[in-house]
Amino acid sequence: MNSIGENCNDLKSRYDACFNAWFSEKFLKGHTDDSVCKPLFLSYQKCVQEALTLHKIDVIDLKTNHINGTEFDKPTKSNEDNSSKKEAES
Amino acid sequence: MAKYYENSTVFHYNMEQIFQGFWQRYPNPYSSHVLSEDTLERQVTREGKLYSKRLITKTNKLPKWGERFFKAKSVCIVEESLIDLKSKTLTTYTRNIGFNKIMNVIEKVVYRSDGPKTIAYRSAWIDSQVFGFASAIKAFGCERFKKNCQKSALGFNYILGMLFPIQNQYANIVQHDVAQKFKEAAKQMSEHVKEQIYEASHYNMNQN
């Protein structure tokens, strides 16, 4: 699958290949050390972050995590209030 | 009030196969609306779960009346996911970014192991804050969402079939079996109807 940044496709496919191998051969077998693909991930990220800026994607909105350790937030009134607050702050 | 929708899908693959296939879902023959997919964050949590955040961009096909609300040709979707090997679950939380006031779609899917199968429980909240058009936009959003759910399940099954072909043969046999049974039932039904028509005409003839 293509990356949002055309020039990131090569970096992405190298990282994806590394991740898929790590995921099946290590993670699913109980090994949680994920450092093996880190260098590839970092160079891929550098490229993607530039592409996000280029595409004017709201990076603040991207950073909001809806996962809280183990559970996901359910969309409630208070969440909406939080997100509108964040928008106001930015 | 957000419009709420839920459904569930059975996948004839075990949880480990679902875990592996999940990262390789795109592209597939049913995903022509998916333009790009990127991983933005990934980490193993202290509890040993795998958290990932991906950005997916999709085309934004709209009916004519909707074009004045959405100018964008594509939409951005953030997919957060958590893989828990202990409880054998995969939870995804997906939302659109930008245009949230016009149409906001939040989807939560929990894939749960069920012996050799996996069941995906999906819930979605679709909301709009456009004055006077909110209910029309929500209804449109809900219908488009349902269609995309079908595409997503078909696409995921396709990829799973490519990755784990033996299972796929089995799935085909099952499908074939169902189709065969359906044909037989239809045949019986038509024979039954024919008999009834024959009896009825006979009855009418006797009446006459």
Side-chain angles (χ1 to χ4, degrees):
Chain A
M1 195 68 217
N2 283 342
S3 165
I4 191 161
E6 270 175 48
N7 53 329
C8 310
N9 282 337
D10 189 34
L11 289 166
K12 175 184 152 56
S13 64
R14 270 193 273 167
Y15 167 70
D16 281 350
C18 180
F19 169 75
N20 284 325
W22 170 82
F23 185 76
S24 328
E25 288 155 28
K26 300 284 176 189
F27 183 78
L28 289 181
K29 290 176 182 157
H31 305 284
T32 52
D33 179 8
D34 62 348
S35 56
V36 62
C37 304
K38 270 272 146 68
L40 285 172
F41 185 69
L42 292 175
S43 46
Y44 162 49
Q45 278 316 294
K46 197 165 170 276
C47 189
V48 170
Q49 292 302 326
E50 281 166 17
L52 293 181
T53 319
L54 207 71
H55 282 80
K56 298 196 176 97
I57 287 166
D58 185 353
V59 187
I60 307 279
D61 204 353
L62 273 184
K63 285 207 173 110
T64 319
N65 285 9
H66 287 262
I67 189 171
N68 178 16
T70 51
E71 241 326 302
F72 286 88
D73 290 346
K74 287 198 180 81
T76 58
K77 194 76 196 138
S78 63
N79 286 339
E80 281 170 22
D81 290 343
N82 284 341
S83 59
S84 57
K85 252 185 235 160
K86 266 170 206 150
E87 270 172 27
E89 280 165 15
S90 64
Chain B
M1 269 289 276
K3 213 172 161 65
Y4 178 74
Y5 172 74
E6 63 176 19
N7 76 0
S8 61
T9 314
V10 179
F11 292 98
H12 292 273
Y13 296 88
N14 67 36
M15 202 63 222
E16 196 163 304
Q17 294 170 322
I18 295 289
F19 284 153
Q20 291 182 62
F22 182 71
W23 305 118
Q24 296 169 58
R25 279 179 311 171
Y26 305 128
N28 66 61
Y30 305 94
S31 72
S32 56
H33 61 299
V34 179
L35 302 171
S36 75
E37 167 221 61
D38 282 289
T39 305
L40 300 179
E41 284 176 38
R42 184 161 271 150
Q43 67 186 71
V44 178
T45 69
R46 265 178 289 169
E47 299 89 12
K49 299 171 188 177
L50 181 68
Y51 171 82
S52 309
K53 184 188 274 183
R54 297 199 296 178
L55 175 74
I56 296 160
T57 60
K58 294 183 177 178
T59 56
N60 188 31
K61 280 191 193 128
L62 293 173
K64 261 273 167 274
W65 63 264
E67 285 171 6
R68 65 162 138 167
F69 299 115
F70 293 90
K71 297 272 184 304
K73 291 264 184 288
S74 64
V75 285
C76 288
I77 286 152
V78 181
E79 172 206 83
E80 290 176 70
S81 62
L82 194 68
I83 288 185
D84 185 347
L85 292 183
K86 276 191 202 132
S87 66
K88 285 192 177 176
T89 54
L90 159 62
T91 309
T92 67
Y93 185 101
T94 313
R95 63 196 164 94
N96 59 312
I97 60 161
F99 319 107
N100 288 356
K101 294 269 182 317
I102 304 169
M103 185 161 77
N104 195 19
V105 183
I106 295 168
E107 177 203 46
K108 185 185 169 183
V109 187
V110 183
Y111 295 81
R112 235 174 245 291
S113 172
D114 183 23
K117 293 180 293 184
T118 301
I119 305 174
Y121 300 93
R122 186 188 305 267
S123 17
W125 294 263
I126 296 146
D127 209 355
S128 169
Q129 291 168 38
V130 180
F131 183 75
F133 284 88
S135 63
I137 293 172
K138 279 190 272 183
F140 161 74
C142 196
E143 284 313 305
R144 188 167 75 173
F145 181 81
K146 282 184 205 168
K147 270 183 210 154
N148 286 345
C149 283
Q150 287 173 346
K151 275 194 226 165
S152 134
L154 285 168
F156 199 3
N157 257 321
Y158 175 88
I159 293 297
L160 289 164
M162 298 285 280
L163 291 172
F164 312 105
I166 296 162
Q167 223 92 4
N168 190 38
Q169 277 166 10
Y170 170 74
N172 281 343
I173 289 165
V174 172
Q175 271 174 5
H176 179 75
D177 209 33
V178 171
Q180 195 60 37
K181 277 189 184 135
F182 190 77
K183 261 187 204 163
E184 279 164 19
K187 208 175 158 190
Q188 276 177 6
M189 191 67 168
S190 80
E191 271 162 19
H192 182 66
V193 170
K194 267 185 213 160
E195 271 169 29
Q196 277 189 332
I197 291 170
Y198 175 77
E199 275 168 23
S201 61
H202 218 67
Y203 176 78
N204 282 342
M205 268 158 65
N206 289 346
Q207 288 280 303
N208 293 337

